[in-house]
Amino acid sequence: MAVGPVSASAPGPVAAALKDAVISAALTALLLVPLVGLRATEQGGGPLILTTRFGLVAIFGLIVGVLRFVLLLTIWHPARAKPGRTGPALFNGLGDRLAPVLKPAFFGILLVYPLLAVLGSGGLGPSRYWVDLGIYILTYVMLGWGLNIVVGLAGLLDLGYVAFYAVGAYTFALLSTSIPVSDFFAGALGADFWKAWSFWVCLPISGILAALWGVILGFPVLRLRGDYLAIVTLAFGEIIRLVLINWVDLTNGGAGISSIPPITFFGIPFTNSDGGFASLFGLTFDPMHRNIFLYFVILALAALTALATVRLRRMPVGRAWEALREDEIACRSLGINTTLTKLTAFSIGAMFGGFAGAFFAVRIRFVSPESFTFMESAVILAIVVLGGMGSQMGVAMSAILLIGGMEMLRNLTFLKSPWLLGPDFDPSLYRMLIFGFAMVAVMAWRPRGLVSGRLATIFLKHRKKVSGDLVAEGHG
Amino acid sequence: MDIFLQQLINGLTLGSIYGLIAIGYTMVFGIIGMVNFAHGDVFMVSTFTALIAFLLLTTVLGITSIFLVLAIVLVVAMAFTGLVSWSIERVAYRPLRGSFRLAPMISAIGMSILLSNFVQVAQGPRNKALPPILPDVIVVWDSGSYQVTLAYKQILIMVVTAVLLFGFWWLVQKTPLGRAQRACEQDRKMAALLGVDVDRTISLTFIIGAALAAVAGVLYLSYYGVVNFADGFVPGVKAFTAAVLGGIGSLPGAVIGGLLIGLIETFWSAYFSIEYKDVAAFSILAITLVFMPQGLLGRPEVEKV
């Protein structure tokens, strides 16, 4: 696993690989013995006892050893010629041919997805799971695209992105359940106005407030170097969460805010009454109408994020972001105001996080600080990193792969068979484990992302790898 | 006065633990210029190693002498945590030297998530509690209504920390390894040209930092008696705050920063509000980085082009 390169000249590749494999297997087993082989188990209310699982350790050691042996004789074989991989895409030729139709096809599929879900599952009711899954994934696609502006385009590592998500969610939750605000609108525009319109009024407010917080938090810290910035944004994310927990008068603390009014079809409620959506459009009432509408709302929000990003990339400020990502010192010497440029990226990213937060609050109709932990930031960051920082399609693909893939893993019941992983196997436990591993692996093997690589938007004569690929440590 | 004295004792105890973790951050930052985000979780792994070793020694092998048990646990935890940290450096950080700016940081974040969730899966998500170790206390001062106490384990923590810090200082200042380390810190390329094995030095730095974190882990376990897979995050960030406050890259700074953070945290909890103690620590981190990035004892950073 972690043993130096094997020289081909020594006793022969097979013997060397075997030796390497044995060492790796032994090392893996040694690393796993204390924490996997032995387990401190609770028994009732009494003291902890030790249980052992040495068989599992042996299996993992064997897997690593065999894998390493096979890899050393095939892919990592010293005599094997390196494949001439030129571009950053996973399947170059295929990628080039598919690229022009990929984006329209992608959006087309997203548009008809609810229809497919309804037809595929045979009715509105049974399609609920699939539509909800679509909403869930698209929320992460949108969050990924929002963070992509900050991390992928401007190269600012933001570990507190979930703070802006929380600001958006709480802005909407507090305003929509606030009695004074409701009374104010009841006096001016009718008793039911605020209940019907609160989401549509609060959506822009949530985004603007999140952007404002982005400016407030970003202004002092954006002069810091990359990893300091990451830690400070992490600290801000945690501060906001702790304030949400402890400021009970405003936020109701850890209990959260419930009974948030549901989404309406631009003022028309999704109810089974006379003025409701179903009766107005002459449909039979079904609670799924609201879910499908929610799907299209998040699709529109995500598309807005994507569109805004694409347009911004072609504007001077977007070009400045990309330049900043590659070489900050060069930017400064060319007269770009780096703090202001970073601030725009930070606050625009925050704004989209705020929109997504408001949507989250109206979908779940309940917000609590538990939804906005560091792990949530880490999931969004993992999506951006694995998708390839700066690449829109890459981020979307990785969100679908990571969030949807994990959800699918839950459905694989055969994994729970007693001879494989046991009936109490819970894939959601392994979710973050896999994300963490994937982040490390991608950085080591394909630092430009699994799905796609980032290239400069503008180029001179021909598109080539950006300089950042070739920049050694200590620069930029 | 009596409460003040008690908080001073508690703060210094907590600060010793933070200081030991902070050294790992500051050493790694000094030598390869990266924030080893996974260090807090390495500390958490060490607390679990210590828990397992403790259970193994007391329940399976039946050793009754608590000092013997603690000594063995300390050695086992230091060795194993050093091995873990060495593997992490080999697998997650070494291949990234020369990659783009954010790569090591992202890899470290991934490693941190991986470690904490690995422990969650392997050991379960619930708190693991031990019966109290060394529960006896000495009454230092009795004001009638309030007794200021000094627990044996607090003495243990301060003594172990002081001894180890002295040993560590000797290692860095007086041995060839320490010289190689300081050389790499100043200029890695030049050190390599002069025959210092840079890779080995970096590996050893990671091992030493992890061993010190393991000491902190054993002390943390014996002090609180409870460990959880998520315990790496907040102490990790606080220890990083300590390293930044003391001046990142400076070893005495890390210790002073650790003691300061420990004192600030306990006094804040005692006199202001216990709910906002983490907010206080995180705010100190942000304020220090924004207004005084070189910290108390650090050198101002010069950006070379």
Side-chain angles (χ1 to χ4, degrees), chain A residues 434-448:
Chain A
I434 296 171
F435 282 12
F437 177 76
M439 277 168 88
V440 176
V442 162
M443 280 301 114
W445 288 315
R446 302 189 53 83
R448 300 281 142 162

Side-chain angles (χ1 to χ4, degrees), chain B:
Chain B
M1 182 61 204
D2 38 8
I3 295 179
F4 178 83
L5 199 61
Q6 183 68 64
Q7 296 307 329
L8 192 69
I9 293 171
N10 295 348
L12 287 177
T13 315
L14 193 61
S16 307
I17 293 176
Y18 289 153
L20 284 171
I21 311 174
I23 289 175
Y25 278 112
T26 223
M27 273 205 318
V28 166
F29 190 89
I31 203 159
I32 54 173
M34 73 170 275
V35 178
N36 181 9
F37 198 82
H39 192 61
D41 293 278
V42 168
F43 159 77
M44 180 273 303
V45 166
S46 81
T47 62
F48 268 86
T49 316
L51 176 86
I52 301 276
F54 188 88
L55 284 176
L56 195 67
L57 291 170
T58 51
T59 60
V60 179
L61 300 178
I63 301 175
T64 46
S65 160
I66 188 74
F67 287 105
L68 183 62
V69 169
L70 280 181
I72 298 174
V73 165
L74 197 63
V75 172
V76 169
M78 283 171 82
F80 180 71
T81 315
L83 180 68
V84 169
S85 187
W86 176 82
S87 317
I88 291 174
E89 199 267 332
R90 282 305 279 265
V91 174
Y93 304 152
R94 189 172 296 180
L96 301 183
R97 271 185 229 154
S99 188
F100 69 107
R101 197 161 51 92
L102 292 177
M105 183 74 188
I106 292 170
S107 184
I109 293 165
M111 213 40 175
S112 158
I113 298 169
L114 178 68
L115 280 179
S116 64
N117 284 279
F118 164 70
V119 172
Q120 183 191 11
V121 168
Q123 297 286 327
R126 302 235 306 264
N127 276 343
K128 310 269 179 192
L130 277 183
I133 303 167
L134 289 177
D136 302 323
V137 295
I138 308 170
V139 177
V140 183
W141 191 50
D142 197 339
S143 71
S145 59
Y146 190 87
Q147 286 184 334
V148 179
T149 59
L150 178 62
Y152 279 158
K153 53 190 174 192
Q154 289 179 318
I155 302 176
L156 179 83
I157 289 172
M158 290 184 213
V159 169
V160 169
T161 307
V163 169
L164 271 167
L165 285 181
F166 181 77
F168 176 70
W169 174 83
W170 176 80
L171 185 79
V172 173
Q173 292 296 325
K174 305 283 177 192
T175 62
L177 168 65
R179 208 157 42 239
Q181 237 167 20
R182 282 178 288 145
C184 291
E185 214 165 290
Q186 285 184 5
D187 191 330
R188 215 153 71 205
K189 231 169 241 167
M190 195 64 212
L193 287 174
L194 294 176
V196 174
D197 188 342
V198 174
D199 279 347
R200 184 171 156 271
T201 312
I202 292 175
S203 282
L204 280 168
T205 305
F206 271 85
I207 293 174
I208 295 169
L212 289 175
V215 176
V218 174
L219 298 176
Y220 182 90
L221 176 71
S222 57
Y223 191 51
Y224 291 106
V226 178
V227 291
N228 184 279
F229 75 95
D231 274 351
F233 182 66
V234 171
V237 175
K238 282 180 187 163
F240 180 74
T241 310
V244 167
L245 187 62
I248 197 147
S250 150
L251 298 175
V255 179
I256 293 171
L259 292 176
L260 271 177
I261 292 292
L263 288 171
I264 290 170
E265 188 180 328
T266 43
F267 280 114
W268 185 281
S269 308
Y271 291 107
F272 296 103
S273 73
I274 197 157
E275 290 89 17
Y276 284 100
K277 70 177 172 134
D278 288 352
V279 175
F282 290 132
S283 309
I284 291 170
L285 173 64
I287 291 166
T288 317
L289 277 178
V290 172
F291 294 105
M292 201 174 55
Q294 77 278 10
L296 293 173
L297 299 178
R299 292 180 297 270
E301 196 175 334
V302 183
E303 208 169 329
K304 289 180 204 154
V305 183

